[in-house]
Amino acid sequence: MATVTLHGDTIHTMGELPAVGSSAPNFTLTKSDLSAASLSDYKGKKVVMNIFPSIDTGTCAKSVRQFNEEAAELDNTVVLCISKDLPFAQARFCGAEGIGNVEMLSDFRNGKFGKDYQLEFTDGPLQSLLSRSVIVLDADGKIVYTEQVPEIVDEPNYKAALVALVDA
C-alpha cells in the first residue's frame, strides 16, 4: 500500500506503481468516442501516461494542458491522459480547451487499470479514483519512469518525465 496526502491528510492507494524496467501491464480503457483502447494499440511508440483523479479539478486540468503543449514537439510519442471521468466529460474539456495533442482515456467501465497499476485510492474522500501519477514507457512497452505525486494537489514533475522519455 502506498501513502500520499490530500491537503496534508494521509490517504492510501492499493499498492506500489509497477517497477521501472518491468513490462507495463496491458489495459483496455475507453476513448472519448466510447471505443476501446489497449496498450497494444501503441506498440512501437513511446508512451506517457498522465494519470489523475478528475479532469474537473485545477491541477488535473493543468497537467493535461502542460502535457498537451509538450506533446506537440515529441516524435514517436503518445500522451495518454487517464482518469475515471466519463468520456463525455473528457471530450467536453478537450473541446473547450482546444486540446488535441493528447489522447483522453477513461477507466470508468471496470476500474481494472487502477487496480492493475496499483494506483486506485482505497480510502479517503477520493476513494476509488486514480492517484496522480506519471508512467513513461519506451517503444518496447518497458517502464522507464514512474512518479506517484506525494501530495495529490501538487503537479507532477513534467521535466523528469520528459527527460526519461527522451532517454528511452
Side-chain angles (χ1 to χ4, degrees):
M1 179 178 315
T3 301
V4 298
T5 58
L6 174 63
H7 300 291
D9 295 327
T10 299
I11 53 178
H12 302 94
T13 64
M14 298 184 85
E16 302 295 326
L17 296 177
V20 170
S22 66
S23 293
N26 196 21
F27 59 74
T28 300
L29 296 167
T30 305
K31 295 181 179 185
S32 296
D33 66 2
L34 301 180
S35 65
S38 296
L39 181 57
S40 59
D41 296 339
Y42 307 102
K43 186 176 181 175
K45 292 186 181 254
K46 296 178 183 180
V47 175
V48 176
M49 289 189 261
N50 174 35
I51 306 155
F52 49 87
S54 175
I55 194 63
D56 289 320
T57 66
T59 305
C60 299
K62 189 170 183 182
S63 73
V64 172
R65 287 185 203 105
Q66 184 68 36
F67 276 117
N68 180 66
E69 186 177 306
E70 301 287 349
E73 300 177 16
L74 303 174
D75 291 327
N76 195 40
T77 302
V78 62
V79 177
L80 307 177
C81 294
I82 303 169
S83 69
K84 286 194 175 181
D85 291 299
L86 291 176
F88 313 113
Q90 293 174 333
R92 173 189 40 77
F93 173 82
C94 289
E97 295 281 331
I99 304 287
N101 297 321
V102 300
E103 188 169 336
M104 301 295 286
L105 298 175
S106 177
D107 189 29
F108 87 102
R109 284 208 163 121
N110 63 17
K112 193 166 174 356
F113 175 86
K115 291 173 180 57
D116 289 348
Y117 281 78
Q118 296 289 293
L119 48 76
E120 183 176 296
F121 288 116
T122 59
D123 58 14
L126 300 178
Q127 185 173 353
S128 83
L129 295 179
L130 305 178
S131 174
R132 184 176 322 287
S133 305
V134 176
I135 300 173
V136 178
L137 312 178
D138 67 13
D140 296 322
K142 296 283 186 203
I143 297 171
V144 297
Y145 174 84
T146 64
E147 176 191 13
Q148 186 167 52
V149 179
E151 169 56 57
I152 198 69
V153 299
D154 291 343
E155 292 178 68
N157 186 338
Y158 304 110
K159 184 176 180 178
L162 294 169
V163 166
L165 182 68
V166 171
D167 292 344

